[in-house]
Amino acid sequence: MATVSDVQFIRARSDKREYRRIVLPNALQAMLISDAEIDKAAAVMGVSVGAFNDPDGINGLAHFLEHMLFYASEKYPEEDSYSKYITEHGGSTNASTSSERTNYYFDVNVDNLRGALDRFAQFFVKPLMSADAVSREINAVDSEHKKNLLSDGSRLNQLQKHLSSKDHPYHKFTTGSLETLDTGPKEKGLDIREELLRFYSENYSANLMQLTVYGKESLDSLQSLVESLFSDVRNSDKRWFKCPGNPCPEQYLQILVKTIPIMEGDYLRIVWPTTPGILHYKKAPHRYLTHLIGHEGEGSIFYILKQLGWAMSLMAWEGSDSKEYSFFSISIRLTDEGHNHTEDIVGIVFNYINLLNDSGIHKWIFDEMAAISEIEFNYQDKFQPLNYALFINAMMPLFPPDEWLVGESLPSKFDPILIQKTLDELSPEKVRIFWESKKFEGMTDLAEPWYRTSYSVQKITSDTIKQWMENAPDADLHLPEPNIFIPTDFTLHAPKEEVKFPKIIRTSPFSTLWHKPDNKFLVPKAYVVVDFHCPLANYSPEAEVLTSLFVALLRDYLNDYAYNAQIASLSYGIYSTTTGFQVAVMGYNDKMRLLIDAIMMQIAHFEVKPNRFAVFRETYSKDFENFKFSKPCSQATYYLNLMLNDQSWPLTENLEALSSLNADDLSNFVPNLLSRTFLECFMAGNIEAKEAELIVTGIEEILWKAPNSVFKPLLPSQYLTMRVVMLESGLKCLYRIKGLNPKDENSAIVQYIQIHQEEALLNVQLELFSLMASQPAFHQLRSVEQLGYITSLSSREDAGIRGLQVIIQSTVKDPDNLDARIDAFFASFESKIYELDDEEYKRNVKALIDLKLEKFKNLWEESVYYWGEIISGTLNFDRFESEVEVLRGLRKQDFINFFNQYIKVDAPKRKTLSVKVFGSNHFAEYEKSSEECDSPQIYRVEDIFSFRRSRPLYSSLRSGLCQIAVTTTS
């Protein structure tokens, strides 16, 4: 029997879940969560063993074990049967390895927790790691490593680790590769499977495990289940790994590291080793400092750097995945001019640190931070059970049991002496500066061994930094003002009668207002979207680029004022769309009107600041150029999008247009952009109908009724919609192209099968096939054939046009071969479809029904769904219920007929488009296949836009709605 702890958990006011901590006789700790309202169950096993436990000379063994553990067990010996069970019952599964910990987790339909947990438990009782599976999975780890070789994030992370003590485990390379897990061990006479089994035996022990189980059953039932399944996990009473403290001795401090990134763009990262903040989580000294150093309002470091034209972004944070050491980091994206003033920037950062020293530690700042944290905790949203279980599990080894639900989210003890002590650690004597720029090509003399990142190191003294501080320009650095956006009114405005779906409550020549009051989640929050439909936004590459610059500058101008709103959990976004741009605001409704009015005033009175235009044009140019360094699978998806979506322009034309644009062009464009505008508005949550109408009326007064307003109502004929290219039945289209980065060995393919336009019966048949085929495709193409780490099969939707897509990225096979292997999978899957017995068919149908009947967890999930139905024009607000009815009446033979008609390799209605990106490993295959002749059933696309112009288009689902919205209000 387990020992039950009498724990009084600190919980949010709105939290109605039940919790219990138990310890099994084998010392395994478990946290049980009971919630009768959930429709997904979840479990997480955290093992306090990670990459730092890798034996010397076998880098990546802990990560490799994480890959291997899910394959099979003595009780369930069929390979991949666990993943198959999870998928067939509407769930998902994954795992991750960090420095000192490995997490394994899943979610599943709530009625299938017992079966999933039984299979899950066996990996910690008696796992099987067959020699064949071991030899195959090494390739998956190597593929994962190779996809990271051109990732600047991975490269810089490993460089920072490389420049640390060789005796500290932080120094290690921990992903693993063919070299570290296969060829290297073989050269030493080691059998990697034996090493894997030994590592598992010597490290995995019940006393190092923390289990979290989240289900609808009672706590007693969950406890009984855990006792029956996990009591056999072996306890060898292993000691917890404890790494040494600071991994950066004096020789690795006071250094300036210049390094060459893969992508365009200069970054400056200023880093200090620091005492881990988790040791003082209630006093939160690092949160206090990151709040100030990372602030973006007036007087902040970023505000000054932005005024000088030297920076595009700044972030400050503290953390590591160990309680024994940590780093305080500042990351700044530099402009080209900023690159020329790096010493001044470092000087400004240290001058701000001096300001914090001189001005003292302020209780009002801590109290403001604590007040926001308390509001966030007490009004926290419910989210997916798996995510909640992962959060709780991460807290278990770090905090006392009564604080597992809160972790470090509630700073409560103001300690100015500790904050000052932490601030003292951010000194010139301890700093590490990493400066990334392609301008350093030819100026470096060293290379990091695992990623071959070029770099150089020079020592910098305290006197040098003092000189930079003195030479830095005079700047009005000061502390932020009190935050006016912190909510104080949490009154709930529940509707007098239940409103099930959104409805239009106001129309005018300028706008339509959809409203959905909250009668379910009962939180003082709201979700507001204002979609600006501007027909001139996307009519040419120049217009698309100018609209993007307009939107970017809007965000930039607002940031000084609206940053405080984001701190107070009132977030906003302004985004370009295919038909204009969109403003979204979400969070506490108390001060929301302030923010909405500020955004609209900025739009109405927009003026181009030439200095900010210049830096954004520079940044956009680099971002466009950086696309060639994106993953080949991302490139393939981009080309597919370009071929399918009628109103889309290629990045090459955007870049060409950008190069000739200036600030005057934007000044002239914006009044034209806004001259014909229609707003589609959606307001949901704790906003009454009258308040929603007042907000929209206020927006109209700001935009249309102000003196000298450029805004005019949209004409009915000007309403634009996105339309999708219709592929031809029985024809396979191919588009082949070399990868844009000649140094990237990876190739990729996206095989897309277009099925139908929005229609309930075909919707559910496609989703059912995707549910049934996704896991077998992953197992066959990735696990068995080892084609590539990135492998997926999923459904896809473009403006109401639905289809299926298979994505593979690979270094081992060229895209033509990958395309053939995908077809071979579909061919082999035919027999599984035809041999599908009634029980398995019903099981899959039930899994899809359960997925569709999942309740929205919070206001955001519900609102995003309803807005999607509005903006797409489908307005099928009861989609899930209606499609469930269709599913319940779907016969197995009808589903088989669907497969035969649309998906089978030679299906008469099969419409296929394969986009193939050839990496440097396969350039020869590209040249060879370019000369080959195609069969009559294959159409080779030579020019994307000629192809797009030659094809018919599907009708728009929005045409009827948009016409009504405009004509009825004119």
Side-chain angles (χ1 to χ4, degrees), residues 469-490:
M469 294 167 68
E470 292 171 355
N471 293 341
D474 290 336
D476 184 22
L477 294 166
H478 59 79
L479 297 177
E481 297 295 323
N483 192 338
I484 63 171
F485 288 101
I486 298 175
T488 55
D489 183 357
F490 304 101

Side-chain angles (χ1 to χ4, degrees), residues 275-345:
T275 304
I278 192 116
L279 300 179
H280 306 288
Y281 58 93
K282 290 185 179 180
K283 299 178 179 181
H286 294 88
R287 285 184 64 181
Y288 178 96
L289 295 174
T290 55
H291 167 66
L292 295 174
I293 293 173
H295 209 280
E296 298 181 17
E298 288 190 20
S300 66
I301 297 171
F302 179 62
Y303 179 83
I304 299 300
L305 296 182
K306 195 171 78 166
Q307 297 294 103
L308 292 166
W310 293 351
M312 291 303 299
S313 65
L314 181 149
M315 294 187 298
W317 72 96
E318 176 268 333
S320 75
D321 48 11
S322 174
K323 291 178 72 172
E324 305 304 321
Y325 68 90
S326 192
F327 296 100
F328 191 106
S329 303
I330 303 171
S331 176
I332 304 168
R333 183 173 184 179
L334 305 173
T335 62
D336 286 346
E337 189 64 22
H339 177 88
N340 297 329
H341 289 274
T342 300
E343 293 177 1
D344 292 329
I345 292 171

Side-chain angles (χ1 to χ4, degrees), residues 49-63:
V49 175
F52 282 0
N53 295 84
D54 283 348
D56 291 339
I58 314 182
N59 299 64
L61 192 62
H63 179 216

Side-chain angles (χ1 to χ4, degrees), residues 307-520:
Q307 297 294 103
L308 292 166
W310 293 351
M312 291 303 299
S313 65
L314 181 149
M315 294 187 298
W317 72 96
E318 176 268 333
S320 75
D321 48 11
S322 174
K323 291 178 72 172
E324 305 304 321
Y325 68 90
S326 192
F327 296 100
F328 191 106
S329 303
I330 303 171
S331 176
I332 304 168
R333 183 173 184 179
L334 305 173
T335 62
D336 286 346
E337 189 64 22
H339 177 88
N340 297 329
H341 289 274
T342 300
E343 293 177 1
D344 292 329
I345 292 171
V346 175
I348 288 172
V349 169
F350 275 100
N351 282 336
Y352 190 83
I353 291 172
N354 267 3
L355 167 72
L356 297 182
N357 276 307
D358 294 343
S359 62
I361 309 302
H362 294 264
K363 189 173 188 299
W364 75 265
I365 295 176
F366 182 89
D367 288 344
E368 191 176 87
M369 187 178 74
I372 293 171
S373 297
E374 186 174 1
I375 292 168
E376 288 177 344
F377 179 71
N378 281 311
Y379 292 101
Q380 62 184 271
D381 297 307
K382 253 191 166 181
F383 42 98
Q384 292 293 336
L386 177 56
N387 293 335
Y388 190 61
L390 281 165
F391 167 76
I392 297 296
N393 193 265
M395 301 301 103
M396 290 175 70
L398 300 176
F399 299 97
D402 63 322
E403 297 178 3
W404 284 354
L405 311 186
V406 58
E408 55 186 335
S409 9
L410 286 180
S412 56
K413 296 180 180 179
F414 178 59
D415 187 339
I417 295 174
L418 180 62
I419 296 173
Q420 183 61 55
K421 183 179 177 183
T422 305
L423 181 60
D424 292 342
E425 293 183 320
L426 310 186
S427 69
E429 290 75 26
K430 294 184 177 181
V431 75
R432 291 155 54 91
I433 301 174
F434 293 83
W435 186 6
E436 301 170 67
S437 175
K438 287 204 165 188
K439 298 177 181 71
F440 296 139
E441 287 180 350
M443 300 167 60
T444 58
D445 56 354
L446 298 167
E448 187 278 320
W450 296 105
Y451 291 82
R452 306 307 300 166
T453 304
S454 298
Y455 72 99
S456 65
V457 181
Q458 67 186 74
K459 293 291 283 188
I460 49 174
T461 65
S462 300
D463 288 340
T464 300
I465 292 177
K466 183 179 180 181
Q467 190 66 49
W468 294 351
M469 294 167 68
E470 292 171 355
N471 293 341
D474 290 336
D476 184 22
L477 294 166
H478 59 79
L479 297 177
E481 297 295 323
N483 192 338
I484 63 171
F485 288 101
I486 298 175
T488 55
D489 183 357
F490 304 101
T491 305
L492 296 178
H493 305 291
K496 295 176 183 176
E497 56 186 42
E498 182 176 352
V499 180
K500 190 173 182 182
F501 299 127
K503 63 179 181 180
I504 295 175
I505 61 170
R506 181 185 185 276
T507 59
S508 79
F510 314 109
S511 68
T512 294
L513 170 59
W514 294 83
H515 181 239
K516 169 63 175 72
D518 174 35
N519 47 22
K520 183 187 304 182

Side-chain angles (χ1 to χ4, degrees), residues 923-938:
F923 281 175
E925 287 85 349
Y926 173 81
E927 300 296 342
K928 181 181 177 183
S929 62
S930 297
E931 300 170 359
E932 295 175 352
C933 296
D934 299 320
S935 70
Q937 290 77 35
I938 293 178

Side-chain angles (χ1 to χ4, degrees), residues 908-947:
K909 294 185 179 180
R910 196 179 207 253
K911 296 181 287 186
T912 311
L913 172 54
S914 288
V915 179
K916 305 177 181 184
V917 174
F918 287 73
S920 60
N921 272 9
H922 305 119
F923 281 175
E925 287 85 349
Y926 173 81
E927 300 296 342
K928 181 181 177 183
S929 62
S930 297
E931 300 170 359
E932 295 175 352
C933 296
D934 299 320
S935 70
Q937 290 77 35
I938 293 178
Y939 176 78
R940 188 174 297 210
V941 178
E942 301 294 346
D943 178 77
I944 288 176
F945 305 101
S946 296
F947 169 77

Side-chain angles (χ1 to χ4, degrees), residues 27-38:
L28 188 150
Q29 284 193 88
M31 176 66 153
L32 312 177
I33 309 170
S34 173
D35 184 352
E37 296 181 356
I38 61 169

